[in-house]
Amino acid sequence: MKGFFIVTLILLASLFTAVFAEDPDYGSTWETAELITPDSTLYVGVLGEGDQDWFYFPQTGNNRYRFTITNPQSGYKVMKVYLLDEFNILKEMVSLSAWTNTLQSQPFFEYDYDVYIQVYNTAGDYSIRADYLGNTPPDMYMNSCVDTADEIIPTTDPLNPIAPTVGTLDHLDPDEYDTDWFYFQTQPLHKYRIYKTHASNSNVWFRLYSDACGQLSGNTSDFTLIPWYGDDYRLLLEGDVNRYGNYYTVEIIDLESYTDDHGNTYDAATAYEPDVTGELFANIDYEANLGSDLDWFTFTPTANTLYRFTNKHLAGGYITMRVYQENEFGERIEQCSVSAWNEVRQLTAFFEYARPCYVRFEGVVDEYSLTIETVETLTDSYSNDCEFASELLVGELVGGTLVHDSPYDVDWFVFQTQPLHKYRIYKTHASNSNVWFRVFSDDCQQLSGNTSDFTIIPWYGEDIKVYLEGDGNRLGNYYTIEVTDLESYTDDWPNTWDAAAEMPKDGTEVDVFFEYDANIGTDEDWFTFIAGQDGVYHFMLGNPEGGYDTMRIYRVNEIQQLIEVTNQNAWNQVREFDVTLTAGVHYIKMMGSGGCTISLVSPEPRCGDLDHPYPMSDANRDCVVDLLDVAVMAAEWLTDTNP
């Protein structure tokens, strides 16, 4: 019995040790790390609460490895891989966090530093392994574009792929970090994919160059190219100099080939004859990061003619139409553009000169159509002088052009108005034009800045002038201008101070309504009063609605100029305020929207107030005793005044 008891204790102790201690017990610091071999051996461990396990192995540099961690339980277990550099500092290369799964990483180590592995985080079982994948010594690829000597052969048969090109970027040159240059040959209208991978601790990218070493792309890892003419290209591999190993693979795959319906360049453009060719159907046949299909068309316009261009694309994705014309130096200058996505889009272009024009299409692979139509040929002789402005009839749409005279052309118009009518002046211009107008008075005083849409309400029915000007750098400036009489108004109070209405000073409320508004000529209401003495005057401004109503109070100086004394605003409120005024003539200007109520109480003595009773016998209370009072008394002589 005693022997049985001893055996039982030994078994219990063994079970306790299996649950609460590691088996085997790996080092818990990098200095006590367990030596392992990177030969696919599986190392199984158990983390206790707050525990960590360390492993290490030496290596000779320029080696690739695969590191694997398996965590069969919930809760992250983290594996980090380090190199111990010449200063005994651990440099992190890899970090993996596994949660009920297996994760892998494949770094490359340029230096011959020892490798350390740390496993930590949640308690429980795990396993790791390190696999040696091979040695990749420094390569001899060229470091300059002009010296490129190494060719990458594109894969043309997916069933017999060409192995990727393998390279490293090293620190052998202390003055300049390594780069690698390659070249490859192409066939016209074949689509090539250039694809790069790199080790998990590396950071490598490539850029594409022409055979003449002109840069064609930014930094990337995956790129498609469709050479139009079958040129040779060059490839630059670069990497992060701060990495402890930059290993990469790069391959080029010939994906497919195409045919083209229209030329990709202006000098191979398809001829188009406006009003004759009609709707021309075409296709964007292919697309890539570089070398997507472009379709060019060309025609020579009639001078001083407006054309309409139609881009019809009845599917998803944008197809863009761009219109160009040559300048006097034969350079193609973009005039305008429009994109269509499942729609029909149009633009107009005016060409002052009969120089070659081009239309270019680009976008998604799909069918589209082009139509070019003549709208009108137009030359105008509108006045260039404000004093002799050309007549513009209200309600008439007028088309005009601005041409390259010396100085550059401008057009002046004048139209007649009626008092308190609201007029809209509206301009359009061709898609390749830039034209604007300014509004002037009949005596050529500027009333507005540059605009394309303007409203004005002339208070007195005066003539209004419109000045058209444009961008002299455009190859065509065509516009339309129209003045429309929108509606007419009546007014309750005068719009100017010299016609101001008398303002009561006894607190009588005056209703003010703002009947109309416009860019110029919005309703203003003016009132005037005489301050009989220096003193404090009490004002009220009541606005029961939203939107600010403003009261401005002015005095008149010795040369009959208005000097603002104060201003007050009201928004859905009643404002009462006192203003100290000097004796003399004053004005009130009201501005706003909707309507409001105003009043004024003067401190001046008035006949009939408590300090100034009506005179004896002033029967009609007009503060004067005269025959009118005798007449009142005669009329009321027999009236019984007893209570």
Side-chain angles (χ1 to χ4, degrees), residues 34-45:
E34 181 83 8
L35 176 64
I36 64 173
T37 55
D39 59 359
S40 302
T41 300
L42 189 67
Y43 294 87
V44 178

Side-chain angles (χ1 to χ4, degrees), residues 274-348:
D275 308 316
V276 175
T277 302
E279 185 175 12
L280 189 155
F281 288 90
N283 288 275
I284 299 296
D285 300 297
Y286 46 85
E287 59 184 344
N289 295 123
L290 181 66
S292 292
D293 190 18
L294 302 176
D295 288 349
W296 285 81
F297 306 89
T298 185
F299 72 100
T300 300
T302 302
N304 296 306
T305 299
L306 180 69
Y307 291 88
R308 180 184 300 110
F309 297 79
T310 302
N311 173 10
K312 183 167 74 173
H313 174 225
L314 302 181
Y318 282 114
I319 288 185
T320 300
M321 172 178 67
R322 302 183 186 276
V323 180
Y324 301 79
Q325 188 180 34
E326 290 185 2
N327 62 13
E328 65 269 34
F329 306 108
E331 301 167 323
R332 288 157 302 286
I333 308 300
E334 183 173 338
Q335 301 295 294
C336 47
S337 65
V338 67
S339 298
W341 177 309
N342 196 25
E343 61 189 327
V344 176
R345 296 289 304 278
Q346 293 183 323
L347 53 78
T348 57

Side-chain angles (χ1 to χ4, degrees), residues 18-19 21-23 43-48 53 69-77 98 100-101 119 122-128:
V19 173
E22 292 185 22
D23 186 14
Y43 294 87
V44 178
V46 180
L47 288 179
D53 288 346
I69 179 171
T70 298
N71 175 18
Q73 302 156 337
S74 297
Y76 283 114
K77 287 187 175 62
T100 66
N101 63 345
V119 181
T122 57
D125 301 335
Y126 71 88
S127 66
I128 66 165

Side-chain angles (χ1 to χ4, degrees), residues 502-565:
E502 194 70 27
M503 180 71 188
K505 298 186 291 182
D506 59 359
T508 300
E509 293 188 352
V510 177
D511 291 328
V512 177
F513 297 97
F514 303 108
E515 282 91 2
Y516 46 85
D517 66 336
N519 296 121
I520 291 180
T522 296
D523 190 17
E524 299 175 2
D525 289 344
W526 283 82
F527 302 88
T528 185
F529 65 94
I530 297 175
Q533 66 178 44
D534 295 351
V536 177
Y537 291 73
H538 186 74
F539 293 84
M540 185 274 292
L541 169 57
N543 174 18
E545 304 171 345
Y548 281 114
D549 288 343
T550 301
M551 174 188 288
R552 297 183 182 275
I553 302 172
Y554 301 86
R555 64 178 177 85
V556 180
N557 66 11
E558 60 276 6
I559 58 174
Q560 297 302 300
Q561 293 176 324
L562 295 186
I563 307 299
E564 184 172 321
V565 178

Side-chain angles (χ1 to χ4, degrees), residues 5 202 319 526 583 589 637:
F5 179 73
S202 303
I319 288 185
W526 283 82
K589 180 170 76 169
W637 183 258

